[in-house]
Amino acid sequence: MTQPASASLGDTILAHADELARFSDMEGGLTCAYLTPAHRAAQDLLAQWMAAAGMQVRIDAIGNVIGRYAADPAAGDARVLMTGSHFDTVRNGGRYDGRLGILLPIAVIGALNQAGIRLPYHVDVVAFAEEEGLRFKTSFLASSVLAGRFDPALLERQDTDGVTLREALAVSGLPGAGDLQALRAAALDPASLLGFVEVHIEQGPVLLHHGLPLGVVTQIAGSSRFSVRVEGLASHAGTTPMGMRRDAAAGAAEMILLVEQRCAAAPTLVGTVGQLQVPDGSSNVIPAACTFSMDIRAGEDGIREAAIADIVAGIAQIAARRGLTAQVERVPPVNNAPCARWLMDQFGAVLKKRGLQAFELPSGAGHDAMMMQRVTDVAMLFVRCGNGGISHNPLETITADDAQLAAEVFVDFLRHFQPRG
Ligand code: GLV
Ligand code: MN
Ligand code: MN
């Protein structure tokens, strides 16, 4: 621990977020992609902090760091309340997205341990190795392993350097080195779980707008991600008449505008093209190919699926009209995940006991809790995001006071936690 023993939990959490953010794949900002040297360094430091807080630590086959704060032995053969979030980041991201949900429980467990307080159940703090999908364009890779939902086809997925996930795991030093059996064996036994709770920065302006430090999440919006490859014909930029072109980039531009237009047509529906490339492009050659990502989300699965059907059909029409081909590859979707009322109410009761409003709000962002919800009941505690609620941006921020309050609420939650009857 780098903070003096007298530092508040909030100060410690923020200081640890700063310290962890020193490990980055880029200069002058925070990027922590899966299985890079920075990612490895962050993983090691998290393991050290968990051990220092009194946990038994292990690293699983996908790189999750899991610390166990063992139950009071008098409780007999105890089940596990799991908590945690991810430590990978988007490119040039913020230092609290995901990491708050690891650092806060570590600080809280450290405080309980110092006070000699044991709980009648195990608490497992998990630092998920990969959630953002930056390197391999996956969705919830690390939590899918714990939830027993790992898709073996992902092992062949390549990063932008052509390295497959299988190859990256083989040299990672992780247990099993990418062996499918090891990845399957890392799945949790759902019967051992009491539930999963995730603390996360809100990543939006709602709590800030309402003047509230904390909120309880009702549900997490489902999401679908796609990779689209449009192909046309390379030809000379100076000699090919406008009416004779099969320009893949111009076709992709029309497709992107379709995504924007269709996703503006329903509340909670959102569509984003965050990656766009003209592979091997030259300024004086009509693009033969153009690739882009699509991320489509909504608070209701039916609304999302209807939009996807329209967009996929629209892409085919645009391609046909322009003499192009378009291949749309879909990453398995993650459906809308409701939070469990019995867990939400336990957070709500703690907030009310402290004189705070038990404010409830949905999450538009995706979280590891969505994948964990496939195997156990989940709940999330949101912490107010400063700077207008900006996230996936280095301007993302929280205050030490809000982190302190969230930590105190989390302590109360753990100490009063009642398993589902
Ligand atoms: C995760 O940050 C997501 O919502 O994409
Ligand atoms: Mn994120
Ligand atoms: Mn996150």
Side-chain angles (χ1 to χ4, degrees), residues 226 255 258-260 262-263 269 271 292 294 296 304-318 328:
F226 302 82
M255 295 166 191
L258 168 68
V259 173
E260 184 185 48
R262 179 61 182 82
C263 292
L269 179 63
F292 61 94
M294 285 197 305
I296 299 175
R304 187 183 82 246
E305 289 300 334
I308 289 168
D310 288 350
I311 289 167
V312 170
I315 285 175
Q317 281 165 12
I318 292 166
V328 180

Side-chain angles (χ1 to χ4, degrees), residues 240-262:
T240 314
M242 293 307 286
M244 291 177 62
R245 297 178 176 219
R246 291 165 55 200
D247 182 332
E254 194 179 342
M255 295 166 191
I256 294 166
L257 290 176
L258 168 68
V259 173
E260 184 185 48
Q261 188 188 41
R262 179 61 182 82

Side-chain angles (χ1 to χ4, degrees), residues 86 90 97 131-132 200 203 366 391-392:
H86 59 98
V90 295
D97 175 5
E131 186 259 9
E132 301 283 10
H200 206 283
Q203 306 186 273
S391 183
H392 283 183

